[in-house]
Amino acid sequence: MTPAELFLHADAALREVIDQLDPADFSAPVPKEWSQLESPTLLGILGRHAYDEAWVPDVLAGRAAADGDPYADVDLLGDDPIASYDALNDKATAAVRSGDIAETFRFTYGDYPADEAFAHLATYRAFQGYSIAKHFGIPFHLSPELIAGMNELVVPHADQWREWGVFPPAVEPPANADDETRLLCALGFWQP
């Protein structure tokens, strides 16, 4: 699997969860570690994901927030947050599928080769999707393709990324663990 394909699988997984959100939960608090906001809510997290999706075409074109941030003070969610997110997700997907991708992605935390950067973006999306689903009781599983891609392109970097604070400590998988559980344990996200 290519890193771009991994991103597309992870982005689709997050969208699958977002499309199942109940707007009645938008004001519900979410774990503080999900955000830098003082009192994060589900709608706030959705807004951060919308912002992230809006940036994908720009990042793929080699632009960075340091060049100017056209999304900083924009209401990206409008009156229909889920539909607005989906529209941004469609644009991000189209940008990745176009194949017109810069060699280096310029994130706020540093510049990375496109392949590694796609793994960063995929990791964030996959495990936010999992965490949101788990927190709000949404039926969801990582796809076999996403699990395989994560095992191939992310797990080999887990210990290094864990040192950077990306992943919590690994968890010993239960004896009867399936592929999804083993992946979640390896990256420290599994919750019984």
Side-chain angles (χ1 to χ4, degrees):
M1 172 177 298
T2 69
E5 290 168 337
L6 176 64
F7 169 84
L8 291 172
H9 283 289
D11 212 29
L14 178 60
R15 181 175 180 159
E16 178 185 338
V17 171
I18 288 174
D19 285 349
Q20 294 181 68
L21 295 177
D22 182 345
D25 291 331
F26 283 165
S27 62
V30 296
K32 196 157 178 63
E33 63 267 14
W34 289 6
S35 172
Q36 296 174 345
L37 301 172
E38 183 62 33
S39 300
T41 64
L42 179 58
L43 185 61
I45 293 298
L46 181 55
R48 293 310 302 162
H49 283 294
Y51 177 82
D52 203 45
E53 290 293 320
W55 262 107
V56 168
D58 291 298
V59 168
L60 269 58
R63 290 188 286 280
D67 301 330
D69 189 347
Y71 311 109
D73 297 314
V74 177
D75 177 9
L76 295 170
L77 296 178
D79 294 332
D80 189 345
I82 294 172
S84 296
Y85 171 84
D86 285 352
L88 293 166
N89 180 273
D90 288 342
K91 289 178 185 175
T93 298
V96 174
R97 288 191 174 142
S98 78
D100 189 15
I101 298 168
E103 291 181 18
T104 301
F105 290 5
R106 298 169 55 214
F107 296 141
T108 56
Y109 57 90
D111 296 350
Y112 291 88
D115 285 354
E116 182 179 348
F118 271 130
H120 293 195
L121 294 171
T123 299
Y124 177 57
R125 283 159 170 75
F127 298 111
Q128 269 282 284
Y130 170 80
S131 297
I132 292 168
K134 188 80 170 166
H135 190 78
F136 287 95
I138 296 170
F140 172 76
H141 288 283
L142 300 172
S143 71
E145 297 82 9
L146 183 52
I147 293 167
M150 287 285 171
N151 279 323
E152 177 185 351
L153 300 171
V154 174
V155 171
H157 306 285
D159 289 336
Q160 179 184 28
W161 292 5
R162 190 171 280 116
E163 290 175 13
W164 299 341
V166 174
F167 298 125
V171 177
E172 186 65 33
N176 61 347
D178 60 14
D179 290 342
E180 179 183 54
T181 301
R182 281 193 295 280
L183 171 66
L184 292 166
C185 288
L187 299 180
F189 286 103
W190 185 69
Q191 301 170 23

